[in-house]
């Protein structure tokens, strides 16, 4: 089954403790991206990747890192999480970075105390 | 950061009524997509529009792209309770950074039986 898989689905952690949210897709898509969704602010793009070893900032990249060492994986790294990064995070992929449909994962709800 | 204004933010209507959701920007889109999101899930693509003036239909949903490619609308005819959800427009802008995807804040639709 074609899908985008995020892990974990839920995480409660403390300020400053490094964490990684993994994202994997099995559709051989070139384009992958990360979003955060907050009430009243909608979905905002954090980082995106056009292909392996090619990443670029979205609208809200501060406090996040990403890497794209393999085509299928696009982890989101929070080196020193802070409470303002408490949010619902979505990973998405598409065949290319143009008008192709984005396929979203089911989300990761992250709470930073 | 490009701004994509979506209205209304909330909409509660009776089953059988018609409704229209709007998505506007001061900049030109290279493409625009409409997504629907259910609670606890990631957004799912409904349609992509690329050409100015384009109209696409998906059963009772009609999507229109403005002639100048700066606005779009989603019209639902005879709404049903199954249409309840969060509707999101997302645009890619022409020019630099055109691989970045910007979402509107969404329209939360409730259709009352």
């Amino acid at each position: 089954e074609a899908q985008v898989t995020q892990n974990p689905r839920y995480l409660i952690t403390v300020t400053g403790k490094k964490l990684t949210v993994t994202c994997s897709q099995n559709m051989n898509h070139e384009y992958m991206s990360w979003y955060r969704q907050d009430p009243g602010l909608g979905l905002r793009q954090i980082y995106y990747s056009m292909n392996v070893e090619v990443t670029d900032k979205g609208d809200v990249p501060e406090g996040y890192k990403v890497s794209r060492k393999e085509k299928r994986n696009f982890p989101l790294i929070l080196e020193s999480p802070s409470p303002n990064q408490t949010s619902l995070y979505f990973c998405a992929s598409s065949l290319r970075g143009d008008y192709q449909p984005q396929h979203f994962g089911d989300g990761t709800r992250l709470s930073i105390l | 950061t490009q701004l994509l204004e979506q209205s209304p933010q909330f909409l509660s209507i009776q089953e059988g009524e018609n409704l229209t959701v709007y998505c506007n920007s001061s900049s030109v889109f290279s493409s625009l997509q409409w997504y629907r999101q259910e609670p606890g899930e990631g957004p799912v693509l409904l349609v992509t529009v690329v050409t100015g003036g384009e109209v696409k239909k998906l059963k009772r949903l009609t999507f229109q792209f403005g002639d100048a490619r700066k606005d779009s609308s989603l019209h639902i005819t005879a709404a049903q309770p199954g249409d309840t959800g969060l509707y999101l427009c997302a645009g890619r802008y022409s020019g630099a950074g055109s691989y970045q995807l910007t979402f509107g804040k969404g329209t939360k639709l409730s259709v009352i039986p």
Side-chain angles (χ1 to χ4, degrees), chain A residues 1-57:
Chain A
E1 181 189 350
Q3 59 186 2
V4 177
T5 304
Q6 295 178 228
N7 279 297
R9 292 291 314 277
Y10 305 91
L11 179 63
I12 301 174
T13 187
V14 296
T15 299
K17 186 176 181 183
K18 180 180 178 180
L19 68 93
T20 299
V21 184
T22 64
C23 175
S24 180
Q25 51 93 5
N26 62 0
M27 295 169 279
N28 202 34
H29 285 171
E30 293 184 353
Y31 184 93
M32 296 186 75
S33 60
W34 276 102
Y35 302 85
R36 59 178 291 175
Q37 188 171 34
D38 302 287
L41 296 176
L43 268 167
R44 293 178 292 168
Q45 196 171 38
I46 303 171
Y47 271 95
Y48 61 95
S49 169
M50 294 296 297
N51 213 325
V52 176
E53 303 293 0
V54 181
T55 63
D56 209 345
K57 297 177 181 178

Side-chain angles (χ1 to χ4, degrees), chain B residues 1 13 20 28 30 43-44 46 50 54 56 60 64 70 85 88 91 97 100 104 109 113:
Chain B
T1 301
I13 62 171
T20 302
V28 176
S30 60
V44 175
L46 295 173
V50 178
E54 187 174 3
K56 284 191 174 180
R60 292 176 292 100
Q64 191 158 1
K70 291 184 176 182
L88 299 158
Q100 185 174 334
L109 172 64

Side-chain angles (χ1 to χ4, degrees), chain B residues 62-106:
Chain B
T62 301
F63 304 86
Q64 191 158 1
F65 202 16
D67 290 339
R69 292 188 291 139
K70 291 184 176 182
D71 58 273
S72 181
S73 64
L74 157 61
H75 182 79
I76 301 179
T77 304
Q80 298 177 2
D83 295 326
T84 294
L86 180 67
Y87 290 82
L88 299 158
C89 62
R92 281 191 175 81
Y93 291 93
S94 301
S98 60
Y99 294 112
Q100 185 174 334
L101 190 62
T102 299
F103 278 81
K105 293 181 181 180

